[in-house]
Amino acid sequence: VCVIFRANADLADVDEIRYLMEWNPNILEFSEIRDLNNGLIPGLNQDDFDQTNIRNGILGLDWRANSPAFAADFSAGDQLYVICFNVVGLGGDSPVRINTASDRVTLINSARNLGVFPSNCAVEVNQPESVRIGIGENRGTPGDIVCLDVTVGNFVDVLSLQFPLGWEPSDM
């Protein structure tokens, strides 16, 4: 599943963008960053993303313009980049959010931090219906061979199944 990061305001002459993105690593596993080279953030590349804590659900972005001639200009709604995840959890949701505690967005010739005002999202993971296993009933007398039907439900696209089967030895 991929999340598109878009600008939420018109900005010109941006020379620094820095923030942390967070998600629930029990639900989502970081896969890749893509669609960086759309020209809106000159020079933005994989090296601008700190992947040190991706196993903990944290990805950092720290981009700075090489010079005023390479400042970023974008309009509200412009796609900046895409972050993709593998779903590893069995249900629930994972907010994908920008942590504004350490954010920084500045313009050329200004030390004033404009900050980030995110519209965060969540990835909802629907848990598939579980495979059901049923064991039928039968009767017998001592010395009889008794067979029991084993039935399954929701057995779709199952590659393998293993389960223990137990009984009371004094009764059989």
Side-chain angles (χ1 to χ4, degrees):
V1 65
C2 295
V3 176
I4 298 171
F5 285 77
R6 298 184 183 278
N8 66 354
D10 298 341
L11 285 176
D13 298 331
V14 176
D15 70 347
E16 180 180 12
I17 303 172
R18 182 177 67 212
Y19 51 78
L20 297 175
M21 292 158 268
E22 300 174 336
W23 62 88
N24 181 343
N26 296 318
I27 301 290
L28 300 176
E29 173 186 71
F30 173 80
S31 173
E32 68 176 326
I33 305 161
R34 65 178 199 209
D35 299 340
L36 297 173
N37 298 319
N38 59 13
L40 295 175
I41 304 177
L44 180 66
N45 62 56
Q46 298 285 335
D47 293 337
D48 295 313
F49 291 87
D50 180 359
Q51 297 184 26
T52 306
N53 280 315
I54 58 172
R55 289 197 170 144
N56 297 319
I58 301 170
L59 175 69
L61 170 62
D62 189 356
W63 172 85
R64 289 184 177 94
N66 293 332
S67 73
F70 293 101
D73 297 327
F74 40 80
S75 300
D78 284 347
Q79 178 179 313
L80 304 177
Y81 55 89
V82 176
I83 305 291
C84 296
F85 302 93
N86 297 315
V87 176
V88 294
L90 288 178
D93 66 5
S94 173
V96 177
R97 65 182 200 89
I98 293 177
N99 182 332
T100 58
S102 63
D103 68 346
R104 183 160 179 79
V105 176
T106 60
L107 304 180
I108 294 173
N109 299 321
S110 173
R112 183 174 157 246
N113 181 14
L114 299 176
V116 176
F117 300 95
S119 296
N120 296 315
C121 71
V123 174
E124 184 177 339
V125 178
N126 296 321
Q127 184 172 357
E129 280 194 59
S130 299
V131 170
R132 291 188 314 270
I133 300 173
I135 299 177
E137 293 182 20
N138 206 339
R139 298 181 192 276
T141 59
D144 287 350
I145 296 175
V146 178
C147 297
L148 303 174
D149 291 327
V150 176
T151 58
V152 295
N154 295 328
F155 210 78
V156 179
D157 296 328
V158 176
L159 300 177
S160 68
L161 175 68
Q162 181 177 348
F163 64 93
L165 184 61
W167 60 87
E168 183 58 49
S170 62
D171 291 339
M172 300 186 85

